[in-house]
Amino acid sequence: MERSQTVTQKFSSFSSSSSSSSSRDDKPREIDRSRSLGPVKLEKSYGKKERDTETVTIEEEDEEERQEEEEVEVVVVVNKEEEASSAPEEPPEASFGSISEEVDGFLSFLLSIDDGRDQWPETPAMPESTIKKFLDFVEEELVKYESGKDGASRPANDELVLFNAIDRVAKLTSALSIFSSDTKYNKAMTRASSILRYAMCFLEDEFHSLLEDSKPKKDPGIARPKTKRRPSIGHLHEAIDRCVPPPSEPDLVEFPSTYPPEIIERLRGIAGAVVSAGYATECCQVFTIARRNAFDVALSNLGYEKLGVDDVQKMPWDSLEAKIATWIKVFRQTVEVAFPREHDLCEAVFAGHSAIAYSIFHNFARGVTILLLGFAEAVAMTKRSAEKLFKVLDMYETLRDMVPRIDALLRTESEPDDSSAAHDLTTEVALVRSRLGEAAVAIFCDLETSIKTDMGKNAVPGGAVHPLTRYVMNYLKYACEYKNTMEQVFRDHKNSENPSSQLEDAAKGGSDDNHNPFAIQLMEVMELLHTNLESKSKLYRDPALCSIFLMNNGRYVMQKIKGSTEIHQLLGDTWSRKRSSEMRQYHKNYQRETWSRVLACFKDDGLQARGHVAKPVLKERLKSFNAMFEEIHKAQSSWVVSDEQLQSELRVSVSAVIVPAYRSFLGRFSQYLDPGKKSGKYIKFGPEELENYIDELFSGNPSSMVSRKRT
């Protein structure tokens, strides 16, 4: 009876502070590690000090009395032996297992009469002694459990016994309330309720400590996400024909999702005890906050920084580009690695409580996803510029690729085809992805504006490839590496502007290239580029150089298309044949403008009069040829044809026309010139020498025949 009073006093302060709340489920308790156990721990410590003081005083008094009683000690021993021999033997003390069985039997009895308690005229007898012993044991075990310094060294079976005992306390508290009007029942219920609340506060603190202090188990099987190598397209006139590799990425840091098996086992035991006692809300709050804190630390270790919309809007592109790369890495690893691990952890800790596990995981996944989506949405809202296209598309693809994984993790077994939680979150992702797609469409369409506004009045020296051509074709090449994605965003954009077009495409059995919005946009860009180059070619006064300029740019375009399967598929063979025909026409125009006058020198017309060769006319023809060829060589050797194949084709075609005609002309008329030094005045080049000079054309290095001959 004294022990019962002690326990009642021990929990009286905690009970009175808790009695103002009739139900723990009516108002969730604040999770405050410094407050939840404070009153209980202080009271327990105070009680411990009082007991220690009383023990010392009693020992001093016993020492004095011991000296006085030495004389009668023998008599007392003899009397005790006589009393022991005459008294009946006491039964052995019952084990906790047997006590628990008796409590379980009493609980079953109370629960069985709950529905028909009105039929019981009197309150059924309560095994006070058994309940007292049971509650005494739970109290002692809780004190031992809390005083233990190394929880990991505690046998797992002891914890299991304690958790089962706490579960019985919870059931006992509820069952005793059936006859709470009875004084004995009410007294037992009050004590059981106090012990239960104390146990919940302590287990809550232990649960939090395990989640926060236990180091996660590292998992080496983590895959590095694959990222595309994309160039950083700079100013419109500064594009180059190579892919700039991105800076090396730092090693990935794992998300802390996996604890050692022994820690998970303890977490599962605590969670089961707390949830069964009716404190599921508090347990879920502790777990959710601890795991979210761990995730935030992991984000920081990965280099991810939480940024607001204003921060993203004001950030320079170089810095934002690096942030986007980090975001892509973080988002993929979150969905592919962190979410599955977190899902498994929730299932393991809250085993047997699938609804709670699902709710915790869903809230975690939603909170994290919304956080990461905020950055993507801010990027979609930034000012449009051409260099942002590829990173925006990377973000779009990341969201698109991760949606099935998110949907699979959130879709419940009971609702495999229609999970509202999965639908809600994937809808959020789809909305942000749509905004990124719209941004990508707008950026690509701005390429038309860039081409139209590039109206420079300075011709490129030597008729070389124009920087605009290089920029546009490099841009298209890299953009078309995202062919499927670009087709998707343009199709979505078309359907959003004209919903009926989606039905039309479906009626036609899909969208072919003739109705592919991206392919149509690409052709418009190519036509604008062609028109712009035609306009720029008119900046050259020499018609032949105008043709060289168009050939250079046309060949560059064709080579880029030939090197990109995606562009060729989008433009089609018809477009390519048309451009090849235009290239042949440019070639013919060049030959006509440059070499038709030269070939006129080799005609027989006007050289013969009355059956004789007119030497003055012959000499004048040769002098005219020499002058024209020297002028052509001087000018066109400085012209630029960077494509080696085109350069070779031009030289071969010129040689094939000029050299044979020149050789034939000399064979027919050189004999009519006076032999000796004077003939060299008119015949300056031999056929082979003429061919060598032709091979110097289009090299971009102006040279003088006169200076070469002198040397």
PDB file of all heavy atoms in Angstrom, residues 17 52 54 80 118 177 191 259 439 476 531 539 672 696:
ATOM      1  N   SER A  17      -1.299  18.257 -14.052  1.00  0.00           N
ATOM      2  CA  SER A  17      -1.010  19.129 -15.191  1.00  0.00           C
ATOM      3  C   SER A  17      -1.641  18.631 -16.452  1.00  0.00           C
ATOM      4  O   SER A  17      -1.847  19.383 -17.397  1.00  0.00           O
ATOM      5  CB  SER A  17       0.519  19.247 -15.398  1.00  0.00           C
ATOM      6  OG  SER A  17       1.038  18.000 -15.739  1.00  0.00           O
ATOM      7  N   ASP A  52      17.138   9.136  -1.056  1.00  0.00           N
ATOM      8  CA  ASP A  52      18.551   8.971  -0.655  1.00  0.00           C
ATOM      9  C   ASP A  52      18.782   9.520   0.743  1.00  0.00           C
ATOM     10  O   ASP A  52      19.493   8.928   1.576  1.00  0.00           O
ATOM     11  CB  ASP A  52      19.452   9.694  -1.650  1.00  0.00           C
ATOM     12  CG  ASP A  52      19.423   9.015  -3.000  1.00  0.00           C
ATOM     13  OD1 ASP A  52      18.983   7.841  -3.040  1.00  0.00           O
ATOM     14  OD2 ASP A  52      19.834   9.657  -3.997  1.00  0.00           O
ATOM     15  N   GLU A  54      16.555   9.928   3.183  1.00  0.00           N
ATOM     16  CA  GLU A  54      15.895   9.076   4.166  1.00  0.00           C
ATOM     17  C   GLU A  54      16.695   7.812   4.432  1.00  0.00           C
ATOM     18  O   GLU A  54      16.797   7.338   5.556  1.00  0.00           O
ATOM     19  CB  GLU A  54      14.504   8.727   3.670  1.00  0.00           C
ATOM     20  CG  GLU A  54      13.563   9.940   3.629  1.00  0.00           C
ATOM     21  CD  GLU A  54      12.247   9.603   2.981  1.00  0.00           C
ATOM     22  OE1 GLU A  54      12.122   8.436   2.546  1.00  0.00           O
ATOM     23  OE2 GLU A  54      11.362  10.477   2.926  1.00  0.00           O
ATOM     24  N   LYS A  80      12.490 -16.197  15.932  1.00  0.00           N
ATOM     25  CA  LYS A  80      12.155 -16.188  14.496  1.00  0.00           C
ATOM     26  C   LYS A  80      12.150 -17.587  13.919  1.00  0.00           C
ATOM     27  O   LYS A  80      11.326 -17.930  13.073  1.00  0.00           O
ATOM     28  CB  LYS A  80      13.144 -15.313  13.722  1.00  0.00           C
ATOM     29  CG  LYS A  80      12.940 -13.832  13.966  1.00  0.00           C
ATOM     30  CD  LYS A  80      13.877 -13.021  13.110  1.00  0.00           C
ATOM     31  CE  LYS A  80      13.622 -11.522  13.298  1.00  0.00           C
ATOM     32  NZ  LYS A  80      14.538 -10.695  12.466  1.00  0.00           N
ATOM     33  N   ASP A 118     -24.948  -2.339 -19.265  1.00  0.00           N
ATOM     34  CA  ASP A 118     -26.184  -1.957 -18.595  1.00  0.00           C
ATOM     35  C   ASP A 118     -26.861  -3.157 -17.949  1.00  0.00           C
ATOM     36  O   ASP A 118     -27.693  -3.006 -17.043  1.00  0.00           O
ATOM     37  CB  ASP A 118     -27.145  -1.292 -19.584  1.00  0.00           C
ATOM     38  CG  ASP A 118     -26.598   0.030 -20.100  1.00  0.00           C
ATOM     39  OD1 ASP A 118     -25.737   0.610 -19.401  1.00  0.00           O
ATOM     40  OD2 ASP A 118     -27.019   0.469 -21.188  1.00  0.00           O
ATOM     41  N   SER A 177     -11.982   2.533 -17.936  1.00  0.00           N
ATOM     42  CA  SER A 177     -12.896   3.669 -18.021  1.00  0.00           C
ATOM     43  C   SER A 177     -14.355   3.238 -18.154  1.00  0.00           C
ATOM     44  O   SER A 177     -15.273   4.042 -17.981  1.00  0.00           O
ATOM     45  CB  SER A 177     -12.520   4.556 -19.217  1.00  0.00           C
ATOM     46  OG  SER A 177     -12.704   3.858 -20.438  1.00  0.00           O
ATOM     47  N   ARG A 191      -3.984   5.932 -12.119  1.00  0.00           N
ATOM     48  CA  ARG A 191      -2.573   5.570 -12.052  1.00  0.00           C
ATOM     49  C   ARG A 191      -2.068   5.036 -13.397  1.00  0.00           C
ATOM     50  O   ARG A 191      -0.990   5.396 -13.866  1.00  0.00           O
ATOM     51  CB  ARG A 191      -2.362   4.515 -10.966  1.00  0.00           C
ATOM     52  CG  ARG A 191      -0.864   4.250 -10.768  1.00  0.00           C
ATOM     53  CD  ARG A 191      -0.575   3.148  -9.813  1.00  0.00           C
ATOM     54  NE  ARG A 191       0.866   2.964  -9.716  1.00  0.00           N
ATOM     55  CZ  ARG A 191       1.434   1.827  -9.370  1.00  0.00           C
ATOM     56  NH1 ARG A 191       0.694   0.764  -9.071  1.00  0.00           N
ATOM     57  NH2 ARG A 191       2.752   1.733  -9.301  1.00  0.00           N
ATOM     58  N   TYR A 259      18.888   3.506 -41.988  1.00  0.00           N
ATOM     59  CA  TYR A 259      19.523   3.333 -40.691  1.00  0.00           C
ATOM     60  C   TYR A 259      19.972   1.883 -40.543  1.00  0.00           C
ATOM     61  O   TYR A 259      19.471   0.987 -41.232  1.00  0.00           O
ATOM     62  CB  TYR A 259      18.545   3.686 -39.576  1.00  0.00           C
ATOM     63  CG  TYR A 259      18.178   5.148 -39.508  1.00  0.00           C
ATOM     64  CD1 TYR A 259      17.050   5.626 -40.162  1.00  0.00           C
ATOM     65  CD2 TYR A 259      18.948   6.038 -38.794  1.00  0.00           C
ATOM     66  CE1 TYR A 259      16.700   6.969 -40.102  1.00  0.00           C
ATOM     67  CE2 TYR A 259      18.615   7.380 -38.717  1.00  0.00           C
ATOM     68  CZ  TYR A 259      17.490   7.839 -39.377  1.00  0.00           C
ATOM     69  OH  TYR A 259      17.164   9.170 -39.322  1.00  0.00           O
ATOM     70  N   ALA A 439       8.069  28.116 -71.979  1.00  0.00           N
ATOM     71  CA  ALA A 439       9.277  28.948 -72.023  1.00  0.00           C
ATOM     72  C   ALA A 439      10.213  28.486 -73.134  1.00  0.00           C
ATOM     73  O   ALA A 439      10.805  29.313 -73.859  1.00  0.00           O
ATOM     74  CB  ALA A 439       9.991  28.899 -70.673  1.00  0.00           C
ATOM     75  N   LEU A 476      20.536  25.152 -84.006  1.00  0.00           N
ATOM     76  CA  LEU A 476      19.554  24.160 -84.456  1.00  0.00           C
ATOM     77  C   LEU A 476      20.059  22.738 -84.242  1.00  0.00           C
ATOM     78  O   LEU A 476      19.282  21.835 -83.903  1.00  0.00           O
ATOM     79  CB  LEU A 476      19.226  24.384 -85.931  1.00  0.00           C
ATOM     80  CG  LEU A 476      18.505  25.687 -86.273  1.00  0.00           C
ATOM     81  CD1 LEU A 476      18.260  25.773 -87.768  1.00  0.00           C
ATOM     82  CD2 LEU A 476      17.194  25.809 -85.506  1.00  0.00           C
ATOM     83  N   THR A 531      16.796  33.731 -96.675  1.00  0.00           N
ATOM     84  CA  THR A 531      16.449  35.076 -97.145  1.00  0.00           C
ATOM     85  C   THR A 531      17.449  36.105 -96.647  1.00  0.00           C
ATOM     86  O   THR A 531      17.854  37.016 -97.389  1.00  0.00           O
ATOM     87  CB  THR A 531      15.032  35.442 -96.664  1.00  0.00           C
ATOM     88  OG1 THR A 531      14.101  34.472 -97.155  1.00  0.00           O
ATOM     89  CG2 THR A 531      14.642  36.824 -97.151  1.00  0.00           C
ATOM     90  N   LEU A 539      25.711  42.676-100.672  1.00  0.00           N
ATOM     91  CA  LEU A 539      26.693  43.642-100.179  1.00  0.00           C
ATOM     92  C   LEU A 539      27.991  43.567-100.980  1.00  0.00           C
ATOM     93  O   LEU A 539      28.812  44.490-100.926  1.00  0.00           O
ATOM     94  CB  LEU A 539      26.991  43.384 -98.691  1.00  0.00           C
ATOM     95  CG  LEU A 539      25.813  43.573 -97.720  1.00  0.00           C
ATOM     96  CD1 LEU A 539      26.233  43.147 -96.313  1.00  0.00           C
ATOM     97  CD2 LEU A 539      25.352  45.026 -97.721  1.00  0.00           C
ATOM     98  N   TYR A 672      52.437  31.025-134.857  1.00  0.00           N
ATOM     99  CA  TYR A 672      52.393  32.251-135.652  1.00  0.00           C
ATOM    100  C   TYR A 672      53.099  33.418-134.962  1.00  0.00           C
ATOM    101  O   TYR A 672      53.209  34.505-135.519  1.00  0.00           O
ATOM    102  CB  TYR A 672      50.939  32.651-135.938  1.00  0.00           C
ATOM    103  CG  TYR A 672      50.233  31.616-136.799  1.00  0.00           C
ATOM    104  CD1 TYR A 672      49.320  30.735-136.240  1.00  0.00           C
ATOM    105  CD2 TYR A 672      50.503  31.537-138.166  1.00  0.00           C
ATOM    106  CE1 TYR A 672      48.682  29.795-137.011  1.00  0.00           C
ATOM    107  CE2 TYR A 672      49.844  30.593-138.945  1.00  0.00           C
ATOM    108  CZ  TYR A 672      48.945  29.720-138.379  1.00  0.00           C
ATOM    109  OH  TYR A 672      48.317  28.783-139.150  1.00  0.00           O
ATOM    110  N   GLU A 696      45.781  27.780-106.462  1.00  0.00           N
ATOM    111  CA  GLU A 696      46.012  28.739-105.380  1.00  0.00           C
ATOM    112  C   GLU A 696      44.784  29.604-105.092  1.00  0.00           C
ATOM    113  O   GLU A 696      44.801  30.416-104.163  1.00  0.00           O
ATOM    114  CB  GLU A 696      47.194  29.646-105.738  1.00  0.00           C
ATOM    115  CG  GLU A 696      48.525  28.907-105.814  1.00  0.00           C
ATOM    116  CD  GLU A 696      49.654  29.822-106.256  1.00  0.00           C
ATOM    117  OE1 GLU A 696      49.360  30.993-106.582  1.00  0.00           O
ATOM    118  OE2 GLU A 696      50.798  29.376-106.275  1.00  0.00           O
TER     119      GLU A 696
END
